[in-house]
């Protein structure tokens, strides 16, 4: 049985694409060894597609104080030596990393042990980790064509984002039909957003003729009992919510953007202003330039502003966007990655 090492975690943006590829590798008969961190999403949810899971105490470097940077670097170096031992023990055919600081030890360990390394970049502007690892990688897979300029073009492949199987299967069979009473889906990424949650509550009060679904995340909020407002802390089957939504109001992480494309949903994006290199803005700027979405900066967003946009969107526009957006959805990213590696 061939073995593959996979790393990608910390946040859902790295975790879910890694999981999608790992599941496909398992179906092909590979043994999957997963490398993650003790403080990421993988520590809470596990990594179901892995035969062996190793979680190490790793700390981020970017955005930390001087002392924090030193601690982060030392934790990554320490983990790298531990991963080298695992690679020598398991002898994988190759490694694949999905960015973020949690991928750094596996990427460097693969290079030092002369194992084939592949990387996938989820966002429009690559993480520092992937920029470094791309030097050693045999192939670089990207979600947005905007990322191409940051890598060696000869080994860079635009494949899209590996989405969960449940998302892809539902998206392929889904057809949007406008309804008289519209539903607005609002969420702020895997961690939630206090500001977007408060705006959602305000909108639900002001628009009793619309239904609202809010995923509020970790935030403690005073949520009123409104007949047109449904609130979840977290929802794992997003395909169910995309199917009932007419409008999506959200952050613009790579996963969200590609799920919106898959279901062909009109979206109002509010990029997370503190995302590294403002990558969430560039994740959707190309869609905005095509006239396929709206973008609001965090500092200018308000319930009144979003309400005005929603009130001016017609059924014809929703149908047009549904068809147009799906032309840009890349639902075969997993297959393209694996076929490129096997070649």
């Amino acid at each position: 049985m061939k073995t593959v090492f996979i790393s990608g975690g910390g946040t859902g943006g790295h975790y879910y694409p890694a999981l999608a590829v790992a599941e496909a590798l398992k179906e092909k008969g590979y043994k999957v060894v997963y490398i993650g961190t003790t403080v990421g999403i993988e520590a809470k949810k596990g990594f179901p597609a892995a035969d062996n899971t190793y979680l190490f105490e790793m700390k981020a470097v970017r955005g930390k104080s001087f002392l924090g940077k030193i601690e982060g670097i030392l934790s990554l170096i320490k983990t790298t030596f531990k991963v080298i031992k695992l690679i020598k023990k398991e002898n994988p055919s190759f490694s694949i990393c999905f960015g973020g600081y949690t991928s750094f030890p596996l990427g460097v360990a693969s290079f030092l042990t002369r194992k084939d390394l592949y990387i996938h970049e989820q966002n429009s502007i690559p993480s520092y980790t992937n920029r470094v690892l791309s030097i050693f990688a045999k192939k670089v897979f990207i979600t947005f064509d905007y990322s191409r300029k940051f890598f060696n073009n000869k080994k860079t492949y635009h494949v899209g984002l590996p989405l969960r199987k449940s998302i892809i299967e539902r998206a392929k069979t889904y057809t949007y039909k406008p309804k008289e009473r519209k539903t607005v889906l609002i969420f702020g990424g895997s961690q939630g957003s206090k500001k977007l949650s408060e705006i959602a509550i305000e909108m639900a009060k002001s628009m009793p003729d619309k239904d609202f679904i809010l995923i509020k995340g970790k935030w403690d909020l005073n949520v009123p009992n409104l007949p047109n407002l449904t609130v979840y802390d977290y929802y794992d089957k997003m395909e169910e919510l995309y199917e009932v939504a007419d409008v999506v109001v959200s952050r613009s992480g790579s996963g969200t953007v590609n799920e919106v494309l898959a279901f062909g949903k009109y979206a109002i994006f509010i990029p997370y202003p503190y995302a590294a290199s403002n990558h969430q803005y560039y994740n959707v700027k190309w869609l905005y330039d095509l006239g396929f979405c709206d973008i609001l900066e965090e500092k200018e967003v308000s319930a009144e502003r979003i309400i005005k946009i929603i009130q001016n969107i017609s059924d014809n526009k929703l149908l047009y966007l549904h068809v147009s957006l799906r032309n840009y959805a890349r639902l075969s990213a997993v297959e393209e990655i694996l076929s490129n590696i096997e070649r």
Side-chain angles (χ1 to χ4, degrees):
M1 179 185 290
K2 291 183 178 180
T3 300
V4 56
F5 272 46
I6 288 184
S7 185
T11 64
H14 301 299
Y15 172 89
Y16 286 111
L19 183 60
V21 171
E23 288 171 345
L25 285 165
K26 285 284 290 181
E27 289 177 3
K28 284 180 169 286
Y30 283 89
K31 177 183 178 181
V32 175
V33 177
Y34 176 74
I35 306 296
T37 173
T38 55
V39 294
I41 186 174
E42 59 269 35
K44 299 174 184 176
K45 296 180 69 66
F47 198 79
D51 294 279
N52 293 326
T53 297
Y54 297 94
L55 302 182
F56 298 102
E57 291 183 12
M58 292 184 261
K59 295 181 180 180
V61 175
R62 191 171 185 183
K64 303 297 181 181
S65 65
F66 177 75
L67 182 59
K69 287 185 189 324
I70 297 299
E71 290 177 345
I73 290 170
L74 290 175
S75 74
L76 296 179
I77 292 173
K78 185 178 178 182
T79 301
T80 298
F81 283 109
K82 291 180 179 178
V83 176
I84 287 173
K85 290 182 180 179
L86 287 174
I87 288 176
K88 289 180 177 178
K89 175 186 175 183
E90 298 279 358
N91 191 29
S93 299
F94 62 91
S95 301
I96 180 165
C97 295
F98 289 82
Y101 70 93
T102 61
S103 285
F104 187 82
L106 175 58
V108 173
S110 298
F111 168 69
L112 293 175
T113 55
R114 298 186 179 182
K115 295 296 180 182
D116 288 346
L117 172 66
Y118 301 89
I119 64 172
H120 182 276
E121 175 55 53
Q122 295 85 60
N123 291 301
S124 53
I125 299 180
S127 66
Y128 286 154
T129 295
N130 269 350
R131 293 191 206 192
V132 172
L133 296 184
S134 70
I135 299 169
F136 316 127
K138 287 195 73 174
K139 294 183 180 181
V140 176
F141 305 110
I142 57 175
T143 300
F144 301 107
D145 199 57
Y146 186 89
S147 308
R148 188 181 294 277
K149 62 185 178 181
F150 296 97
F151 299 116
N152 181 339
N153 191 55
K154 291 181 180 179
K155 61 179 180 181
T156 300
Y157 299 81
H158 182 200
V159 299
L161 185 77
L163 294 172
R164 282 174 280 180
K165 206 170 187 179
S166 58
I167 293 277
I168 293 172
E169 288 174 350
R170 292 286 274 270
K172 283 181 175 178
T173 59
Y174 173 71
T175 301
Y176 175 65
K177 296 178 182 177
K179 50 190 185 291
E180 187 173 342
R181 186 177 176 89
K182 299 291 188 290
T183 299
V184 182
L185 170 62
I186 304 180
F187 59 98
S190 59
Q191 302 298 313
S193 165
K194 185 177 182 182
K195 184 166 186 176
L196 292 191
S197 296
E198 290 170 345
I199 285 173
I201 294 169
E202 199 175 331
M203 289 173 64
K205 290 178 181 177
S206 302
M207 304 179 81
D209 60 325
K210 303 280 190 299
D211 289 321
F212 291 83
I213 301 172
L214 167 64
I215 305 174
K216 72 178 184 65
K218 62 183 179 180
W219 302 100
D220 266 337
L221 298 168
N222 183 18
V223 180
N225 185 17
L226 300 172
N228 64 332
L229 176 63
T230 302
V231 180
Y232 300 103
D233 291 342
Y234 179 78
Y235 204 90
D236 199 39
K237 297 181 178 179
M238 286 299 293
E239 61 273 14
E240 296 176 352
L241 302 188
Y242 285 120
E243 284 189 338
V244 301
D246 297 274
V247 177
V248 175
V249 180
S250 71
R251 297 297 193 196
S252 48
S254 179
T256 299
V257 174
N258 284 274
E259 288 165 2
V260 164
L261 289 174
F263 282 90
K265 293 294 175 178
Y266 162 65
I268 302 168
F269 291 113
I270 299 99
Y272 181 57
Y274 307 109
S277 304
N278 198 22
H279 69 254
Q280 286 205 2
Y281 171 76
Y282 290 99
N283 284 354
V284 289
K285 184 181 182 299
W286 65 280
L287 273 178
Y288 177 78
D289 290 342
L290 290 169
F292 290 163
C293 73
D294 278 289
I295 302 176
L296 295 178
E297 290 185 50
E298 173 105 344
K299 62 185 179 183
E300 66 183 14
V301 70
S302 66
E304 293 78 14
R305 186 86 183 268
I306 298 175
I307 288 170
K308 187 175 180 179
I309 294 173
I310 291 174
Q311 286 174 335
N312 289 329
I313 193 83
S314 66
D315 284 350
N316 286 338
K317 184 71 177 289
L318 291 174
L319 279 168
Y320 166 72
L321 289 174
H322 174 65
V323 174
S324 300
L325 286 167
R326 295 179 87 185
N327 288 328
Y328 293 89
R330 303 180 71 107
L331 301 182
S332 59
V334 173
E335 290 80 6
E336 288 188 51
I337 289 171
L338 296 188
S339 64
N340 265 291
I341 290 174
E342 287 171 349
R343 281 202 297 274

